[in-house]
Amino acid sequence: MASDYSDKDRHDDVSVLHGMGYAQELQRSMSKFSNFAISFSIICILSGGINSLGQATSGAGGAAIGIGWPLGVVISGVFALALAQISSAYPTAGGLYHWGSILGNRFTGWLSAWLNLLGLVTVLGAINVGTYYFFMGAFGANMGLEDTLTNRVIFMALITGIQALINHMGIKLTARLTDFSGYLIFATAILLTIVCLASASSLEFSRLWTFANYTGTEGASGVWPVAVGGLMAFLLGLLLPVYTITGYDASAHTSEETIKAAHSVPSGMVHSVIWSGLFGWVMLCAFVLMLPNMDDAAKQGWNVFFWGMDAQVNPTIKQVLYVLIFVCQFLCGLATVTSVSRMLFAFSRDDGMPVGSKALATVSPKYRTPVASIWTGAVLATLFVWLTSAITISGTPAYSIVVSCTVIFLFLSFALPIALGLFTIGGPKWPTMGPWNMGVGTYKLVAVLSILSMALIFFLGIQPPNDWALEITVGFVVLALVIWVLVENRRFKGPPIGDEIAARKAAIAAAEAAVGEKG
């Protein structure tokens, strides 16, 4: 634990948590850097930035990276700024659920929770499937492996199980590994940048602001099957940075395990976006400069990264980079298991899950982790990949259809409390700002920008080949409304408020004693 973490700091952290009606059951040992590193690890520019690169190179070409990447980072970053303001005032695990409840009502909190949970479970599956395809592209041919449903599910179950086991064994071990991941991502991104620049036949910097339109053309149609106009091709390319720069809510989900949470959590969110955006931009610009030519790169579709590396990079150096990138992607999944489990734990301790809430909210006295929530999240992500990979709808794998909704669900879970905050900041529901404070006026501006960004993300997220995302998202919202009206409105009480918080004093003391938390 940090040497500057005084008894007063600890008392302040626990007092804030008690003031929201919750016990200090999880172990509070994560440093400010660890809180940053867990979000930085989930964003992982070496995962989304590489595995989804075809969205840019098969769309608007080099300008999608040189100009589009920074713009996409800003679009995603405004959400991080707004959430940081809220998290400083209410630093608690499962932050989005609590913020939706505190700033709105039981329904908006419940809806935020389900949007975030479904988004996190499916994004965990998507991250680890992305790692599987990277592994196959990097090492599969040499090992004689083929892409089959059986291999995909076995790989998914194996690495997700290892990630869950590490999480099971305590936040200190997880934090050490995600701290290492933070340094490793920085180092690997720098190394990849240097290798790309050194391996380039020539440095045509004009590529980075040259607009093309490869949508619907040979090879590129595997990414963007419908030919669209040049502006739309550029806008679609924004999905690369937007899809990559997400997951920073992990800083909020680990609030109850972070020291000086009201300061560290908002800082972790914002800085994870800034550094991921900067290093990702430099790294991908270097990769674009290394490519033999942009027309042939566009034809490679999703395989553009391996094609470029095979064409330009020394085989030995390439394999070293592949190993480093694979480790970073594995640790990205590790951090995502942490995020999923804390959201599930926080929602369950308020009886949010229709079944099993008591077990899911139980913290291991030995490891101080929500063991049942960790393994449930891991199993759900694995089952999601297995079942949706085996089912096709109109010739498209159900997995691809559902994953197209993943980021929409995540950003909707961000946008809902942000929008509520726009109308409640400075009022009785949100009277006091935390120590990380941009000011009421600035927050309102950032909140409006977040809502506009959400509209753009939703519009881009439902374009072909992801047009099923519209029906799924609308269908989910309608289903949620029906379930709320018929069942959950009578059953779900939401987080404690008012007199309920004071009434929990004895229960809080008992819960802390059960896990060995010293008062």
Side-chain angles (χ1 to χ4, degrees):
M1 188 171 295
S3 58
D4 63 341
Y5 189 54
S6 66
D7 289 341
K8 181 183 181 301
D9 293 329
R10 181 183 176 283
H11 178 267
D12 290 346
D13 278 334
V14 175
S15 293
V16 169
L17 190 56
H18 286 178
M20 289 185 282
Y22 298 112
Q24 183 64 64
E25 294 180 273
L26 303 174
Q27 185 175 34
R28 196 179 289 273
S29 61
M30 291 178 69
S31 67
K32 184 177 182 178
F33 179 80
S34 295
N35 186 273
F36 155 81
I38 198 163
S39 284
F40 188 68
S41 297
I42 290 182
I43 292 172
C44 192
I45 53 176
L46 294 162
S47 178
I50 286 175
N51 295 337
S52 300
L53 186 56
Q55 290 178 311
T57 53
S58 291
I65 299 297
I67 299 172
W69 178 274
L71 179 58
V73 171
V74 171
I75 289 170
S76 183
V78 292
F79 290 90
L81 279 172
L83 294 177
Q85 177 83 3
I86 304 172
S87 71
S88 187
Y90 303 106
T92 173
L96 295 152
Y97 150 63
H98 291 101
W99 307 335
S101 302
I102 292 167
L103 303 179
N105 52 43
R106 289 183 304 127
F107 171 68
T108 54
W110 179 84
L111 182 60
S112 296
W114 278 107
L115 285 168
N116 195 241
L117 265 178
L118 290 174
L120 286 172
V121 168
T122 51
V123 85
L124 172 58
I127 286 168
N128 283 345
V129 167
T131 303
Y132 162 77
Y133 280 115
F134 180 84
F135 181 88
M136 293 297 291
F139 313 113
N142 292 335
M143 298 174 68
L145 296 175
E146 295 182 2
D147 176 24
T148 64
L149 176 60
T150 301
N151 285 341
R152 193 181 319 156
V153 173
I154 290 173
F155 183 95
M156 174 75 190
L158 182 62
I159 67 166
T160 310
I162 295 171
Q163 291 159 349
L165 181 61
I166 293 169
N167 270 276
H168 180 133
M169 295 172 69
I171 193 61
K172 284 187 176 180
L173 175 60
T174 302
R176 286 193 193 103
L177 288 171
T178 51
D179 285 359
F180 169 73
S181 173
Y183 291 117
L184 186 63
I185 290 170
F186 278 126
T188 306
I190 292 170
L191 179 59
L192 180 58
T193 299
I194 294 170
V195 168
C196 287
L197 293 176
S199 303
S201 302
S202 62
L203 297 177
E204 299 175 29
F205 288 98
S206 60
R207 288 182 180 183
L208 301 175
W209 55 82
T210 299
F211 289 83
N213 183 2
Y214 297 107
T215 58
T217 62
E218 179 189 353
S221 59
V223 179
W224 303 119
V226 177
V228 297
L231 175 60
M232 191 63 186
F234 176 74
L235 291 175
L236 288 172
L238 295 177
L239 291 176
L240 169 63
V242 167
Y243 281 19
T244 302
I245 309 293
T246 188
Y248 38 77
D249 53 321
S251 288
H253 291 313
T254 52
S255 292
E256 294 174 29
E257 293 154 284
T258 301
I259 64 176
K260 301 182 184 179
H263 298 268
S264 302
V265 169
S267 174
M269 280 191 189
V270 173
H271 284 96
S272 66
V273 171
I274 292 171
W275 290 110
S276 294
L278 179 60
F279 273 70
W281 184 55
V282 173
M283 178 186 78
L284 293 178
C285 282
F287 183 81
V288 167
L289 294 173
M290 181 192 73
L291 291 171
N293 69 78
M294 298 307 297
D295 292 344
D296 287 340
K299 295 176 183 177
Q300 308 309 312
W302 295 113
N303 195 49
V304 65
F305 179 76
F306 293 113
W307 173 79
M309 295 293 282
D310 288 344
Q312 299 293 116
V313 178
N314 173 277
T316 302
I317 295 175
K318 180 178 67 176
Q319 289 301 311
V320 170
L321 282 166
Y322 285 171
V323 170
L324 294 174
I325 293 169
F326 174 74
V327 173
C328 289
Q329 292 190 5
F330 170 81
L331 294 172
C332 171
L334 172 73
T336 309
V337 171
T338 309
S339 202
V340 173
S341 63
R342 282 9 177 220
M343 180 63 214
L344 193 52
F345 158 77
F347 193 37
S348 296
R349 67 182 169 185
D350 289 330
D351 200 26
M353 299 300 290
V355 292
S357 282
K358 185 175 181 180
L360 292 168
T362 300
V363 174
S364 163
K366 181 177 181 181
Y367 298 108
R368 299 292 294 273
T369 55
V371 170
S373 287
I374 289 168
W375 287 102
T376 299
V379 169
L380 287 174
T382 304
L383 288 175
F384 155 68
V385 170
W386 183 14
L387 296 175
T388 56
S389 295
I391 299 170
T392 58
I393 300 174
S394 300
T396 303
Y399 169 80
S400 301
I401 294 171
V402 176
V403 166
S404 67
C405 301
T406 293
V407 177
I408 292 176
F409 281 9
L410 277 180
F411 276 102
L412 282 173
S413 76
F414 297 170
L416 187 52
I418 289 172
L420 292 168
L422 174 63
F423 299 103
T424 57
I425 189 169
K429 287 192 174 184
W430 188 3
T432 307
M433 302 303 108
W436 197 96
N437 182 16
M438 69 176 80
V440 172
T442 304
Y443 172 82
K444 288 184 175 181
L445 173 62
V446 171
V448 170
L449 291 174
S450 298
I451 294 167
L452 293 174
S453 295
M454 182 68 249
L456 177 61
I457 291 168
F458 184 76
F459 171 71
L460 296 176
I462 61 173
Q463 300 305 309
N466 302 324
D467 29 352
W468 275 91
L470 175 61
E471 287 85 349
I472 292 175
T473 305
V474 172
F476 168 79
V477 173
V478 171
L479 179 63
L481 286 169
V482 171
I483 293 173
W484 175 259
V485 171
L486 296 181
V487 181
E488 294 295 84
N489 187 34
R490 292 191 294 270
R491 188 195 71 82
F492 178 62
K493 296 181 180 180
I497 54 173
D499 294 339
E500 295 175 33
I501 294 174
R504 283 196 179 193
K505 188 174 181 180
I508 288 172
E512 291 179 347
V515 296
E517 175 68 18
K518 296 178 181 179

